[in-house]
Amino acid sequence: MTEPRRDPGLQPERTRLAWRRTTLSATVAAILAAKTALHGSASAVGVAACAACGLLWLGFLLVANRRIRALATTDRPRALPPRQATAAVLCTVAIAVCAAALVV
Amino acid sequence: MSICGSAAWARPAPTHPQPTHGRHTPVVFLYVIEFARNVRLWFAPEVVRQEGTTPDYRFSLANERTFLAWLRTALALIGGGFAVDQFLPDLRWGWRVGLALALLAAGVLCSLRAVNHWMRCERAMRRGEDLPVSRFPALLSVVVAVVAVAMVLVVLVGWEG
């Protein structure tokens, strides 16, 4: 394997770690959602919203992992595909909607 | 290391397309139109890729990290909404739910704006234009400050009662 030309600014690595941090933030939100669902009365809406939050969290992890792998495999990564950015944002918005259902 | 030396936006920007809307159209309305136009681009990446020239990959990655930082801010606001609901149980229902929903709505706005701004920056870099400016950071900080003051008041009054 040839030694990849290393970017002195470590831009791909920094971007990879930024994705990691973002998945951690999503994890915190998902855990708070589970806590809210467990604390409230176990209504059907609450359980459904909690399950949806779990699935959305998995979806977010999937998008992040795909991007992290893309960033790790090449030394000149392409720009983020808009579809992935949109998918990550839609997961976030959907988590907020589930949160609203849990809180109200 | 100076990556700005070869910055595409260091060149004088080409003339900006002038909006064709009337002078008296409300600014908010223009934002909504612009936003709706951009939503199409979220789902049609080919359109973005065909325009202009591909910028230095480092600029694209920096733009991506900014997008992620805004997304984390959005997630933090959503977490804050949960936290208000969970950790202030002595508040009256209306205040608690109102504050939580305000934070959640701020999170939704923040995440939608994150992808929209990322798209605008990416397009501006491809076209060699100036990066778009935004009032959103100022707006968000004002909203966060107002919510924080409201929380302080509510907690103080709540403990008094």
Side-chain angles (χ1 to χ4, degrees), chain B residues 15-77:
Chain B
T15 51
H16 290 278
Q18 290 300 313
T20 52
H21 312 281
R23 279 183 61 200
H24 300 293
T25 317
V27 179
V28 176
F29 195 59
L30 289 181
Y31 272 125
V32 171
I33 291 174
E34 170 78 11
F35 188 79
R37 206 174 286 153
N38 286 340
V39 167
R40 256 185 329 122
L41 290 179
W42 299 0
F43 297 99
E46 307 81 25
V47 180
V48 179
R49 200 156 287 159
Q50 280 163 6
E51 265 185 87
T53 53
T54 307
D56 187 323
Y57 77 104
R58 287 170 293 189
F59 298 144
S60 286
L61 290 184
N63 191 19
E64 183 177 343
R65 287 196 298 277
T66 311
F67 161 66
L68 288 173
W70 277 111
L71 203 55
R72 281 196 297 279
T73 308
L75 284 165
L77 285 167

Side-chain angles (χ1 to χ4, degrees), chain B:
Chain B
M1 189 191 72
S2 159
I3 57 172
C4 294
S6 60
W9 57 75
R11 279 186 270 126
T15 51
H16 290 278
Q18 290 300 313
T20 52
H21 312 281
R23 279 183 61 200
H24 300 293
T25 317
V27 179
V28 176
F29 195 59
L30 289 181
Y31 272 125
V32 171
I33 291 174
E34 170 78 11
F35 188 79
R37 206 174 286 153
N38 286 340
V39 167
R40 256 185 329 122
L41 290 179
W42 299 0
F43 297 99
E46 307 81 25
V47 180
V48 179
R49 200 156 287 159
Q50 280 163 6
E51 265 185 87
T53 53
T54 307
D56 187 323
Y57 77 104
R58 287 170 293 189
F59 298 144
S60 286
L61 290 184
N63 191 19
E64 183 177 343
R65 287 196 298 277
T66 311
F67 161 66
L68 288 173
W70 277 111
L71 203 55
R72 281 196 297 279
T73 308
L75 284 165
L77 285 167
I78 293 169
F82 278 123
V84 165
D85 181 55
Q86 281 293 297
F87 301 116
L88 296 175
D90 298 334
L91 283 186
R92 254 184 299 157
W93 184 86
W95 274 105
R96 188 163 52 86
V97 170
L99 277 175
L101 286 183
L103 283 168
L104 290 174
V108 168
L109 266 184
C110 192
S111 61
L112 288 179
R113 185 264 178 192
V115 69
N116 195 45
H117 194 75
W118 170 78
M119 179 75 73
R120 287 173 68 199
C121 286
E122 202 70 15
R123 213 170 24 179
M125 287 195 290
R126 295 195 72 92
R127 290 176 178 167
E129 293 172 358
D130 286 344
L131 289 183
V133 292
S134 173
R135 275 191 207 92
F136 187 81
L139 198 75
L140 181 66
S141 46
V142 168
V143 168
V144 169
V146 167
V147 169
V149 168
M151 298 236 341
V152 168
L153 286 179
V154 159
V155 169
L156 284 180
V157 171
W159 276 340
E160 293 284 323

Side-chain angles (χ1 to χ4, degrees), chain A residues 71-87:
Chain A
L71 286 168
T73 44
T74 60
D75 57 331
R76 288 284 181 276
R78 296 181 66 125
L80 173 69
R83 253 179 262 258
Q84 284 183 25
T86 309

